[in-house]
Amino acid sequence: MVYRLLASIALSTLFLFFPSSAQAHVSNPHETIADDLAAQLADQLDADIKAYPMSQLGITRLVLAETLEQPEHGDSLYQLSHQLSEGLYAHLEERDILLVEFRAQDYISISQRGALALSRDAETLNQNPNLDWMLVGTLSRKDSGAMVNLRIIDRRNQQVLAAANRYVPKHLYWPNKQSEMVNGRLQRN
């Protein structure tokens, strides 16, 4: 009886310190940045979403503004590019924007390494995904960080429907690193 009373008190004390509702994602700098960018884009798209409620968006990986290529492994912008691109899926979906995962196969590949549905093998993917809009973005080194620029483009006429940008200080995406690869060369920070 005493144990039950102590357990009840302990559990009720825990609920004072921890919220009872579950969150879809944990706040971290990348999530906060992705959420901010998604909010900017969704606000600008609001009129277009109402005019074209069934329009579907595909999200591409962010590239370097100077070369329009993906950052290389070892470049401080590599992880930022990946994490923001992936994080935008959840944050745009929360804002009722219809998303298309064009990397999805129409089957599950099973191997000794696991069961996969996503692929980058162009031969296994739909060559003409049903997309109306594309999210594209660039990263530019600026001061002690990076400028993230995003655009949502109408696929039919290349019209920019929405744009967003955000400066990201380097300590948020490359903490405690002494050097990195920049344009194929080692650079000390």
Side-chain angles (χ1 to χ4, degrees), residues 23-178:
Q23 293 181 337
H25 48 80
V26 177
S27 290
N28 67 43
H30 295 105
E31 289 294 327
T32 303
I33 294 162
D35 190 54
D36 182 43
L37 289 166
Q40 287 181 47
L41 291 169
D43 289 345
Q44 291 178 41
L45 274 178
D46 196 37
D48 288 313
I49 289 171
K50 289 176 182 157
Y52 305 102
M54 300 309 290
S55 292
Q56 299 183 91
L57 173 71
I59 299 174
T60 64
R61 183 86 180 261
L62 307 182
V63 297
L64 298 172
E66 301 82 22
T67 63
L68 296 182
E69 294 179 357
Q70 291 182 8
E72 296 178 22
H73 280 292
D75 186 322
S76 62
L77 297 180
Y78 180 83
Q79 287 290 13
L80 182 65
S81 169
H82 176 71
Q83 291 176 359
L84 286 180
S85 295
E86 292 298 317
L88 283 165
Y89 276 96
H91 295 285
L92 289 169
E93 177 67 30
E94 288 172 357
R95 289 166 173 85
D96 297 325
I97 294 175
L98 296 176
L99 300 172
V100 173
E101 177 55 89
F102 53 86
R103 301 172 297 180
Q105 304 174 114
D106 59 358
Y107 57 90
I108 296 175
S109 300
I110 299 174
S111 71
Q112 290 187 357
R113 298 177 78 181
L116 303 172
L118 297 179
S119 174
R120 286 201 169 97
D121 181 1
E123 291 185 23
T124 65
L125 300 175
N126 182 351
Q127 297 300 309
N128 298 304
N130 189 18
L131 298 174
D132 301 299
W133 302 336
M134 299 176 292
L135 186 144
V136 298
T138 60
L139 300 168
S140 302
R141 286 181 175 76
K142 180 177 181 183
D143 302 326
S144 294
M147 194 69 189
V148 178
N149 297 290
L150 301 178
R151 290 171 293 289
I152 293 182
I153 301 170
D154 188 318
R155 208 178 112 171
R156 297 169 295 252
N157 59 16
Q158 285 72 42
Q159 178 184 358
V160 175
L161 302 173
N165 62 12
R166 177 112 192 281
Y167 174 76
V168 183
K170 194 169 193 173
H171 72 273
L172 292 180
Y173 63 88
W174 196 250
N176 304 319
K177 304 291 181 170
Q178 299 299 315

